[in-house]
């Protein structure tokens, strides 16, 4: 074999090695980008309230992932959750499989929530608590049946077309009571008693007191003053 032939063979081998190396590198790069789906159960080992990140233990390694939007129940430490995703870097907690503490559950939803249904019922055997900076209630008709009610507030304003109260005992204790109306009508079947420090009645047109027996008494002085006084 001549020298030229040997150099040609060597060049062919070098070109073949370079092509093989390129193909091997391309294959490794393709395998590096292959997504390995994940769908398995894991145990929660940590919760970050600020970032909403959930730390779970997978095959001895601790990874930080987020809760899926469809998973309403907030996981807690030592809960068993279902982790699913395209790969380990795109995994989410999609469900809580088992709770470490079944006596405490939390539903956490970010942003505004709208619940729409033809009929909606909330039922609690012991306590139903609502807490908010502002509550708005709008309905065509409302029915409230409560055995005992206690209301504590700083200020209450109401604009109502008609008020009807039916009860056995009505008690009000206030520092100041103001009542203004165009017409007032009151019926007391038995006894009405008023105890005041100073009593002042003033009528623009006429004032009438009528009874079967009328008594006007005073400890020191009784004064009747008018332009005309008719008795009898």
């Amino acid at each position: 074999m001549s020298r030229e032939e040997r150099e040609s063979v060597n060049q062919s081998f070098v070109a073949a090695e370079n092509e093989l190396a390129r193909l091997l590198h391309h294959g490794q790069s393709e395998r590096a980008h292959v997504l390995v789906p994940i769908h398995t159960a894991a145990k929660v080992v940590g919760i970050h309230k600020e970032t909403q990140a959930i730390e779970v233990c997978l095959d001895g390694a601790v990874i930080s992932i987020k809760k899926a939007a469809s998973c309403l129940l907030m996981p807690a430490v030592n809960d068993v959750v279902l982790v699913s995703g395209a790969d380990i870097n795109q995994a989410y907690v999609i469900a809580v499989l088992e709770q470490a503490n079944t006596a405490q559950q939390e539903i956490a939803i970010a942003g505004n929530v709208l619940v729409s249904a033809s009929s909606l019922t909330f039922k609690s055997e012991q306590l139903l608590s609502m807490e908010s900076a502002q509550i708005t209630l709008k309905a065509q008709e409302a029915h409230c049946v409560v055995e005992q009610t206690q209301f504590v507030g700083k200020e209450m304003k109401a604009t109502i077309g008609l008020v009807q109260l039916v009860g056995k005992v009505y008690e009000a204790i206030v520092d100041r009571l103001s009542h203004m109306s165009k017409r007032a009508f009151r019926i007391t079947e038995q006894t009405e008693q008023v105890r005041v420090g100073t009593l002042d009645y003033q009528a623009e047109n006429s004032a009438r007191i009528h009874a079967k027996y009328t008594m006007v008494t005073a400890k020191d002085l009784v004064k009747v003053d008018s332009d005309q006084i008719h008795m009898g």
Side-chain angles (χ1 to χ4, degrees), residues 201-219:
Y201 281 103
Q202 180 179 349
E204 293 183 359
N205 295 322
S206 63
R208 177 177 179 269
I209 298 176
H210 176 73
K212 186 176 182 181
Y213 303 102
T214 301
M215 292 178 291
V216 179
T217 63
K219 183 178 181 180

Side-chain angles (χ1 to χ4, degrees), residues 45 55-58 60-64:
V45 296
E55 292 183 348
V56 297
C57 182
L58 282 176
V62 177
I63 63 173
S64 180

